Amino acid sequence: DGGITQSPKYLFRKEGQNVTLSCEQNLNHDAMYWYRQDPGQGLRLIYYSQIVNDFQKGDIAEGYSVSREKKESFPLTVTSAQKNPTAFYLCASSILDRSEAFFGQGTRLTVV
Amino acid sequence: QQQVKQSPQSLIVQKGGISIINCAYENTAFDYFPWYQQFPGKGPALLIAIRPDVSEKKEGRFTISFNKSAKQFSLHIMDSQPGDSATYFCAARANYGGSQGNLIFGKGTKLSVKP
């Protein structure tokens, strides 16, 4: 089945630790995105990538890092510099010249 | 100018009623306006989308109305059902002379349809 797979579904992190969220897509999409969702805040763009080995900061990139070594994969690292990391993280992908974005099922990160 | 303002924040509708969610924008470069539906614990899924060359688009019980001069667009859910209870997001994307911008999302509307 084609789609976007995020793992894990739930993730717990101790304060001061880095953690990496996985996002894999088999849709052959060029563009991939990471969003953060907080209650009442909508979806805010963290990072995006339109091509392998290239990525751009979104609106709230501080405390996060990404890589795009393969077209299918766009992992997000939440670093210890992110002051309030507890949130629902969503990965999405799209064809560059088409507007529709497809979302994964999300990862809920909780700092304990 | 990049914002998309969505209202109301929450909405309660009786089964069979009409649900209406509104969005407004400022950026005249926006040329794609999708609506996403999200159930709890799931990722958003595209529901319906419109481009500014038409004033209305209908898919089943879901209709987008678009008012280009007022820079507003709305989602109407006819004959609302309890299964429609979800959070709905409007969004917009700009086209800068062939270069696509990123989707800008509204803050969402939590819809509850009472049986």
Side-chain angles (χ1 to χ4, degrees):
Chain A
D1 288 329
I4 301 175
T5 301
Q6 289 188 242
S7 62
K9 188 172 176 66
Y10 299 97
L11 189 56
F12 297 88
R13 188 196 91 174
K14 292 182 179 179
E15 284 192 27
Q17 287 183 338
N18 293 354
V19 64
T20 297
L21 283 59
S22 171
C23 179
E24 304 277 333
Q25 54 99 0
N26 59 5
L27 300 168
N28 199 33
H29 285 174
D30 296 299
M32 297 187 74
Y33 311 84
W34 275 105
Y35 291 90
R36 171 179 171 141
Q37 185 175 18
D38 298 283
Q41 292 295 316
L43 280 69
R44 293 183 290 171
L45 184 63
I46 304 172
Y47 268 98
Y48 64 99
S49 168
Q50 296 183 329
I51 194 170
V52 173
N53 292 323
D54 187 48
F55 47 83
Q56 308 297 328
K57 291 182 179 180
D59 300 319
I60 55 166
E62 185 175 352
Y64 300 97
S65 65
V66 293
S67 63
R68 188 86 187 275
E69 297 177 0
K70 300 186 297 181
K71 187 176 184 178
E72 314 82 60
S73 179
F74 192 41
L76 173 74
T77 296
V78 184
T79 75
S80 57
Q82 169 50 235
K83 299 304 179 188
N84 185 20
T86 295
F88 190 51
Y89 290 88
L90 288 159
C91 179
S93 70
S94 69
I95 300 174
L96 267 183
D97 59 349
R98 294 284 299 276
S99 297
E100 181 176 358
F102 294 84
F103 284 85
Q105 294 301 292
T107 292
R108 185 166 298 280
L109 172 64
T110 303
V111 174
V112 297
Chain B
Q1 201 182 28
Q2 280 287 78
Q3 284 185 326
V4 177
K5 295 182 179 180
Q6 184 172 347
S7 63
Q9 187 173 2
S10 62
L11 182 61
I12 299 175
V13 173
Q14 290 296 124
K15 179 182 175 181
I18 302 174
S19 303
I20 302 174
I21 304 170
N22 301 298
C23 286
Y25 65 96
E26 290 293 328
N27 189 348
T28 56
F30 287 152
D31 75 341
Y32 172 71
F33 303 88
W35 285 89
Y36 283 83
Q37 180 188 55
Q38 184 182 31
F39 293 104
K42 304 294 185 183
L46 181 67
L47 188 63
I48 187 172
I50 197 169
R51 294 192 182 274
D53 52 345
V54 296
S55 60
E56 186 175 281
K57 183 174 181 180
K58 183 176 181 180
E59 291 185 1
R61 294 185 294 110
F62 301 91
T63 299
I64 298 179
S65 297
F66 186 82
N67 186 330
K68 188 174 181 178
S69 60
K71 298 179 192 173
Q72 295 175 347
F73 58 110
S74 60
L75 175 70
H76 295 234
I77 306 174
M78 311 300 287
D79 187 26
S80 298
Q81 299 296 313
D84 297 330
S85 297
T87 299
Y88 293 82
F89 293 95
C90 63
R93 170 173 276 161
N95 187 325
Y96 301 107
S99 173
Q100 275 189 347
N102 294 312
L103 280 172
I104 308 296
F105 286 87
K107 293 190 174 184
T109 296
K110 185 173 183 179
L111 172 65
S112 297
V113 181
K114 300 299 184 184

